[in-house]
Amino acid sequence: MSTGPAGLGSEIVNIVNKLQDVFNAVGTSTASIDLPQICVLGSQSSGKSSVLENIVGRDFLPRGTGIVTRRPLVLQLIHRVATPQQNGAPPELKAAAAGDAAANADEWGEFLHLPGQKFYDFHKMRDEIVRDTEAKTGRNAGISPQPINLRIYSPNVLTLTLVDLPGLTKVPVGDQPKDIEKQIKDMLMKYISKPACIILAVSPANVDLANSDGLKMAREVDPEGNRTIGVLTKIDLMDTGTDVVDILAGRVIPLRMGYVPVVNRGQRDIDSAKSISLALDAERDFFENHPSYKGKAQYCGTPFLTRKLNMILMHHIRATLPDIKTRITTQLQKYNAELLQLGGAMAEHNSGNVVLSVITEFTNEFRTVIDGNTNDLSLNELSGGARISFVFHELFNNGIKNIDPFDQMKDGDIRNILYNSSGSTPALFVGTAAFEVIVKQQIMRLEEPSLKCCQLVYDELIRILGQLLTKIQAFKRYPALRERFNAVVVGFFKTCMTPTTKLVSDMVAMQACYVNTTHPDFISGHKAMTIVTERLNANKPPPPQSDPKTGKLAPGVINNNKDLDVDAKKEEPSFFGSFFSATGRNGRPGAAKKAGGASTPSTMEAPPPVIKPQAALSERETIETDVIKLLIHSYFNIVKREMIDMVPKAISLTLVNHAKVTLQQELLRELYKQEVLDDLLKESEYVVNRRKEVIGMVQALNKAEEIVAGV
Ligand SMILES: Nc1nc2c(ncn2[C@@H]2O[C@H](COP(=O)(O)OP(=O)(O)OP(=O)(O)O)[C@@H](O)[C@H]2O)c(=O)[nH]1
């Protein structure tokens, strides 16, 4: 490349330019490596475009009213030595000369979005900037963070990369969005907040520096002023007798890299198409002859600014290169690892091996999750097996315990059952039968929560399946495999549910079908009787019928034997009457007072169509009912306890444990078949695309590594 003072730092800046190209080629989403660059920051009309054009030495930026710069312009200036044209001027140049008087064979621009096209005509270059800006943002609409990349080759530039950004604005113009100020500020922030960015803060000297929007914003991200260079424009427009000497001396807002004063073309110069070379001459004259600056004129003006920027960028790049190298290496490792996960660059696979290993991984994970040995144990959430335990020991346990056998049954109902269950032999075994009827009814109520428990455990298994389908990487790559896995496993769980619900229903049916009154935990009839009568005595002394003999029914309830008084209706002729009052067709109570009674056999009438019990319970009825309730309570508790114990065991046997043991076989049988293997391993579009992207990144990073290797 070039040598001599003009080429100062070219090599190292070129390295960054090359890196920029390499990364640009793989897209903007990969800006994970921030390259050093100089960003131009300032309010509208502060003179940013003028400074840039002076640095380049050519007119090439769009001008106009409103926000002209609406996309970042990444401007790579590349110094090249002027070469005598050997075979005459290139054809593009001949065409260009007509439009741009300054066109010459040594200076041209190239846009990244128009590869291979050389712009010798800098006016056409300007048109292209306008065209592409409008293409991406609309005519006067908004702004866009998507940069335009322009590279300018010239013997008159120092190798330098500058980013021209939209000017800070306050008022939306035309159909600009209302929040344009915020949009611009956000975009600028994105650029200047990166530590690798050097901020070129442009402020007009004819406005108080404290009000400079550019400097204000720069201080937000660089409060110490370590990476901000101040450019003071419009020095020529300052009132006579005033100057920026205090600012330059760092006495107003100090910046470590200092300030450079410049004089650009005024509006009138632009309108009269004054050439930049003339403008640069005028600038030099201005500083050399101004009383405030002539002693330090070599530190003023655009050429000094350019050299300074070149030096700063070069040093900056030197300083950041080691870090860039490290980042390239880490990124390379990251993308290589991802590529490996995506199945490598060639994406070759032996479908049999893949399916086999996914089945193994899945079933291992499944067992681990069920057994609760999972690595990613979350502290604030139960998972897998722990959730199933919760279903068993909390939900099911409480669901069963909370069933109150008498919540839907009034004492009067019990009395009715007591009577009804006696059938045509009212007194004999009446208690036993009623007890069994009620207990069986209540036992059947346990079926619903038991089946619900099966369903909840099934839901948990489905949940685990969902987790594994997300967790295991191969499913991302092979969506068809994922689908089939899902279908097979869900189908498997469903199949297991049939014997499981049958088993659980049967367990309830077993309990209901045989009531074991000899169960060791069952309260005895005598005990129940004693408890009830004691309770009664305690509640309302003196008990009028405290003699158990009068409540003879009760012991019979349990033992079906001795004390059951078949003559009860003789002793208490009101046995029926005390239990029931008949209601006639018209519903009048007492219409058949003696109905059904054996006392009037000779004049027996047909019973009334509806026979209703009397509302209040007699004392004996109360005792009988209480005894029955106590017995039911005792027995129902035994059954509940057994169900709480057994249902989880049943569900484990036929569902959870069964799945643990046989799921692998099932998956092998369904999926590990030659005829389906290839279909299962069709890759998802995402994987195919992502692999392309990652391969691109890896290639770019490899290239980047090469580029920085020698530095
Ligand atoms: N006299 C004089 N005029 C200047 C100087 N710098 C810029 N101007 C004028 O100020 C106006 C704005 O300059 P630009 O370079 O377009 O400013 P800008 O910051 O790029 O503006 P936007 O792109 O709209 O944000 C133009 O009319 C320039 O001619 C200067 O140093 N002296």
Side-chain angles (χ1 to χ4, degrees):
M1 262 264 157
S2 63
T3 49
L8 249 185
S10 284
E11 313 293 337
I12 194 138
V13 179
N14 267 326
I15 285 172
V16 173
N17 283 345
K18 279 188 206 156
L19 290 178
Q20 210 144 35
D21 275 7
V22 161
F23 292 127
N24 271 330
V26 284
T28 45
S29 63
T30 47
S32 43
I33 293 182
D34 295 331
L35 297 171
Q37 54 191 11
I38 299 173
C39 291
V40 186
L41 182 69
S43 56
Q44 255 191 330
S45 295
S46 55
K48 298 181 302 299
S49 308
S50 303
V51 169
L52 283 176
E53 286 188 330
N54 274 3
I55 288 174
V56 175
R58 295 288 295 271
D59 291 283
F60 69 101
L61 289 173
R63 292 197 177 260
T65 49
I67 307 171
V68 179
T69 311
R70 293 191 282 130
R71 287 171 62 188
L73 175 71
V74 179
L75 187 61
Q76 296 180 350
L77 305 181
I78 299 177
H79 176 83
R80 67 185 292 276
V81 182
T83 49
Q85 291 302 311
Q86 270 149 20
N87 307 319
E92 299 101 320
L93 176 59
K94 282 186 197 142
D100 182 359
N104 68 82
D106 288 318
E107 288 181 287
W108 72 87
E110 284 173 23
F111 289 96
L112 191 72
H113 66 270
L114 298 172
Q117 197 172 330
K118 287 185 175 175
F119 284 77
Y120 288 93
D121 184 338
F122 278 49
H123 296 164
K124 287 227 174 84
M125 200 146 79
R126 169 187 299 161
D127 296 344
E128 178 55 29
I129 295 173
V130 172
R131 194 200 62 75
D132 200 55
T133 300
E134 281 175 5
K136 301 281 157 42
T137 59
R139 276 206 148 250
N140 191 24
I143 54 164
S144 157
Q146 193 185 343
I148 301 178
N149 287 70
L150 172 61
R151 177 169 292 185
I152 293 181
Y153 295 87
S154 165
N156 307 316
V157 297
L158 281 183
T159 297
L160 199 59
T161 301
L162 295 154
V163 184
D164 190 16
L165 294 167
L168 284 157
T169 185
K170 295 265 183 274
V171 207
V173 193
D175 48 3
Q176 275 163 5
K178 294 271 175 298
D179 63 340
I180 191 79
E181 180 185 353
K182 185 177 180 302
Q183 280 192 29
I184 293 181
K185 210 177 160 192
D186 289 350
M187 188 205 290
L188 300 183
M189 270 297 180
K190 218 175 265 168
Y191 274 86
I192 64 171
S193 57
K194 291 176 181 159
C197 174
I198 291 187
I199 305 166
L200 190 68
V202 178
S203 313
N206 58 347
V207 177
D208 188 1
L209 196 65
N211 292 330
S212 160
D213 293 325
L215 271 180
K216 268 191 231 162
M217 201 167 163
R219 289 179 74 82
E220 284 180 39
V221 295
D222 177 30
E224 310 269 297
N226 287 329
R227 53 184 179 93
T228 306
I229 311 164
V231 175
L232 300 166
T233 59
K234 307 191 187 181
I235 303 286
D236 57 319
L237 295 184
M238 292 183 77
D239 296 337
T240 18
T242 62
D243 59 38
V244 290
V245 170
D246 272 357
I247 300 176
L248 300 181
R251 287 193 285 265
V252 182
I253 299 174
L255 294 175
R256 203 173 60 83
M257 292 169 174
Y259 290 83
V260 180
V262 297
V263 173
N264 302 313
R265 291 172 298 174
Q267 191 56 47
R268 212 171 326 136
D269 303 328
I270 290 168
D271 294 342
S272 64
K274 182 176 181 176
S275 81
I276 290 186
S277 56
L278 280 181
L280 290 172
D281 291 344
E283 184 188 36
R284 195 182 56 240
D285 286 349
F286 177 88
F287 287 114
E288 282 178 355
N289 297 309
H290 194 286
S292 301
Y293 313 109
K294 61 181 173 193
K296 301 262 185 200
Q298 72 267 37
Y299 302 116
C300 302
T302 308
F304 174 69
L305 175 63
T306 309
R307 282 197 304 277
K308 187 173 169 114
L309 291 179
N310 175 262
M311 292 294 285
I312 287 172
L313 187 61
M314 188 184 73
H315 283 299
H316 185 50
I317 293 174
R318 281 239 167 82
T320 44
L321 258 183
D323 187 37
I324 292 177
K325 279 187 188 177
T326 324
R327 268 182 290 165
I328 290 174
T329 314
T330 14
Q331 294 274 312
L332 198 53
Q333 283 165 352
K334 189 187 115 190
Y335 282 105
N336 270 325
E338 188 180 342
L339 191 57
L340 211 63
Q341 262 190 358
L342 293 168
M346 305 311 287
E348 275 175 10
H349 56 241
N350 171 328
S351 24
N353 288 349
V354 173
V355 172
L356 208 55
S357 73
V358 176
I359 291 177
T360 311
E361 184 179 357
F362 183 91
T363 43
N364 281 344
E365 288 271 350
F366 181 75
R367 281 189 284 261
T368 311
V369 172
I370 295 284
D371 293 339
N373 307 327
T374 160
N375 298 327
D376 33 45
L377 261 185
S378 165
L379 287 177
N380 39 25
E381 203 187 336
L382 293 181
S383 69
R387 288 182 58 98
I388 294 177
S389 291
F390 181 82
V391 169
F392 286 155
H393 301 130
E394 294 290 326
L395 303 183
F396 178 62
N397 190 324
N398 292 335
I400 293 288
K401 274 189 185 155
N402 289 339
I403 295 178
D404 172 3
F406 305 113
D407 56 354
Q408 294 158 5
M409 196 180 289
K410 292 194 207 70
D411 287 0
D413 302 332
I414 298 174
R415 178 187 58 185
N416 295 350
I417 295 169
L418 255 171
Y419 174 66
N420 282 335
S421 60
S422 65
S424 56
T425 51
L428 191 63
F429 307 147
V430 64
T432 306
F435 165 76
E436 287 213 359
V437 166
I438 297 172
V439 146
K440 283 178 181 182
Q441 266 176 11
Q442 296 309 312
I443 288 175
M444 287 319 289
R445 290 177 70 191
L446 301 180
E447 183 170 35
E448 196 249 3
S450 302
L451 291 177
K452 182 82 197 281
C453 183
C454 300
Q455 187 58 42
L456 289 177
V457 173
Y458 172 87
D459 292 348
E460 286 306 322
L461 293 178
I462 295 289
R463 188 187 158 102
I464 294 171
L465 167 65
Q467 282 167 351
L468 295 186
L469 289 180
T470 323
K471 184 179 173 188
I472 294 173
Q473 284 297 326
F475 291 129
K476 282 201 188 69
R477 186 172 166 194
Y478 307 115
L481 185 65
R482 187 195 145 103
E483 292 276 291
R484 273 304 287 156
F485 245 82
N486 188 47
V488 170
V489 177
V490 170
F492 176 82
F493 290 156
K494 277 211 177 105
T495 317
C496 296
M497 275 297 267
T498 314
T500 305
T501 50
K502 165 111 177 45
L503 181 57
V504 167
S505 290
D506 283 352
M507 286 167 60
V508 180
M510 277 156 61
Q511 293 285 7
C513 139
Y514 179 74
V515 175
N516 177 16
T517 48
T518 67
H519 195 288
D521 294 341
F522 187 45
I523 190 171
S524 76
H526 282 297
K527 182 115 190 270
M529 192 64 203
T530 316
I531 291 172
V532 169
T533 44
E534 270 171 8
R535 219 188 267 155
L536 204 67
N537 290 345
N539 281 349
K540 50 166 210 173
Q545 299 218 319
S546 59
D547 182 359
K549 282 254 153 70
T550 55
K552 281 165 194 141
L553 243 167
V557 160
I558 303 126
N559 298 324
N560 310 337
N561 61 13
K562 54 196 194 290
D563 280 337
L564 196 66
D565 188 2
V566 283
D567 294 329
K569 58 179 181 286
K570 273 185 196 155
E571 267 186 28
E572 295 177 36
S574 62
F575 183 80
F576 280 125
S578 71
F579 268 54
F580 298 102
S581 69
T583 308
R585 199 185 295 275
N586 59 5
R588 240 179 324 110
K593 199 127 192 114
K594 306 223 164 176
S599 51
T600 52
S602 55
T603 57
M604 194 172 75
E605 295 164 27
V610 178
I611 307 172
K612 278 198 173 170
Q614 276 167 357
L617 267 65
S618 75
E619 182 160 302
R620 209 201 66 197
E621 286 165 7
T622 307
I623 293 173
E624 287 164 0
T625 308
D626 283 354
V627 168
I628 287 268
K629 280 170 78 174
L630 209 57
L631 296 173
I632 289 168
H633 236 298
S634 166
Y635 193 78
F636 195 45
N637 276 342
I638 293 170
V639 177
K640 276 177 167 182
R641 241 177 285 135
E642 286 177 352
M643 292 303 279
I644 287 173
D645 181 54
M646 290 304 288
V647 166
K649 291 177 178 171
I651 296 176
S652 296
L653 176 70
T654 52
L655 184 61
V656 183
N657 222 48
H658 184 65
K660 254 171 68 185
V661 175
T662 50
L663 185 56
Q664 186 159 16
Q665 282 166 21
E666 175 73 9
L667 285 166
L668 284 174
R669 189 168 55 240
E670 290 292 326
L671 302 176
Y672 193 57
K673 294 187 284 204
Q674 197 49 54
E675 63 270 27
V676 298
L677 282 179
D678 287 338
D679 284 340
L680 289 179
L681 296 188
K682 284 226 171 66
E683 287 186 315
S684 75
E685 210 173 304
Y686 166 80
V687 166
V688 174
N689 291 337
R690 182 65 188 160
R691 181 184 297 113
K692 268 191 212 133
E693 262 171 45
V694 174
I695 289 174
M697 272 317 286
V698 169
Q699 282 169 347
L701 287 162
N702 274 325
K703 211 154 177 198
E705 206 166 47
E706 249 170 61
I707 293 171
V708 295
V711 191

